Amino acid sequence: MRSDLRLSQAGPEAAASGPGSASPTAVEATVTALYQAHALRLIRLAYLMLGDRASAEDVVQEAFCGLYRRWSRLTDSGSAVSYLRSCVLNGCRSQLRRRARPPAQPAQQQSPVSAESAVLASEERAAVLRALRRLPARQREAVLLRYYLDLSAQEAAAAMGVGPSTVRSATHRALVTLGDLLQEFS
């Protein structure tokens, strides 16, 4: 998993001087505060990537659990949000790869539609979501990171594990394709 999070490779004694030296209660409080501040945005990002709220919530929850488990190796607590964003993107990529495989069992019944999902399903948003889902994965990620999360090209590049010029070109191609797709839907 590539991210901006710098994990200490030294050992527990080296980590004792960094953010990892906090007590388990302090770590829990910090991760809880991060969850309260950023979970909803990350769930929305995952929802846009996956199109399924339950899977989106699972991916975000796993990202926060991973952060909690690895907190002792964190050398810069300021990069925790970037780490979480990268974890969510990687989790979404894994989910999408799993979905691409043929199902081993019959598909399960869909979960009931939530109020938030109903709001997202308005006609305009539904057309944009359909168009977004038709984009190649890299273009979709670039557009969501740049315009939905309002990240700079450098921040989006770090989250995607590519260079800033790749983000800019993927974003440009995605916007052209989205314009064409949205005209088709009209």
Side-chain angles (χ1 to χ4, degrees):
M1 176 183 315
R2 184 188 185 289
S3 71
D4 286 341
L5 181 67
R6 307 287 189 252
L7 295 176
S8 171
Q9 300 301 319
E13 60 280 344
S17 62
S21 63
S23 71
T25 307
V27 172
E28 187 175 323
T30 302
V31 174
T32 299
L34 284 168
Y35 184 86
Q36 291 170 345
H38 300 284
L40 186 58
R41 285 185 78 182
L42 293 171
I43 290 170
R44 288 176 179 161
L45 171 64
Y47 177 80
L48 289 171
M49 290 292 297
L50 299 171
D52 175 28
R53 182 181 170 114
S55 296
E57 290 173 350
D58 289 344
V59 166
V60 171
Q61 186 67 32
E62 187 57 39
F64 276 96
C65 288
L67 176 65
Y68 180 77
R69 285 189 304 267
R70 292 170 187 83
W71 190 264
S72 65
R73 295 184 290 175
L74 183 68
T75 60
D76 178 15
S77 60
S79 63
V81 176
S82 296
Y83 173 77
L84 288 167
R85 196 178 303 120
S86 294
C87 287
V88 168
L89 284 174
N90 287 336
C92 289
R93 290 173 188 147
S94 295
Q95 285 279 339
L96 292 171
R97 277 193 299 272
R98 275 187 232 119
R99 288 181 187 176
R101 289 187 228 141
Q105 302 173 2
Q108 295 179 354
Q109 187 177 10
Q110 294 275 339
S111 61
V113 177
S114 69
E116 187 174 334
S117 296
V119 170
L120 287 173
S122 70
E123 283 302 313
E124 245 178 55
R125 288 182 184 231
V128 171
L129 289 173
R130 280 194 308 271
L132 273 171
R133 288 192 186 106
R134 288 181 58 185
L135 290 175
R138 181 174 281 179
Q139 290 179 14
R140 183 174 53 242
E141 288 176 14
V143 167
L144 291 175
L145 290 171
R146 291 283 286 134
Y147 298 108
Y148 185 73
L149 291 182
D150 199 27
L151 299 180
S152 69
Q154 290 77 19
E155 292 170 325
M160 293 173 65
V162 298
S165 60
T166 303
V167 171
R168 287 189 295 270
S169 65
T171 302
H172 174 74
R173 286 192 309 270
L175 292 176
V176 169
T177 304
L178 279 174
D180 294 341
L181 290 172
L182 289 173
Q183 284 181 351
E184 280 180 26
F185 293 148
S186 297

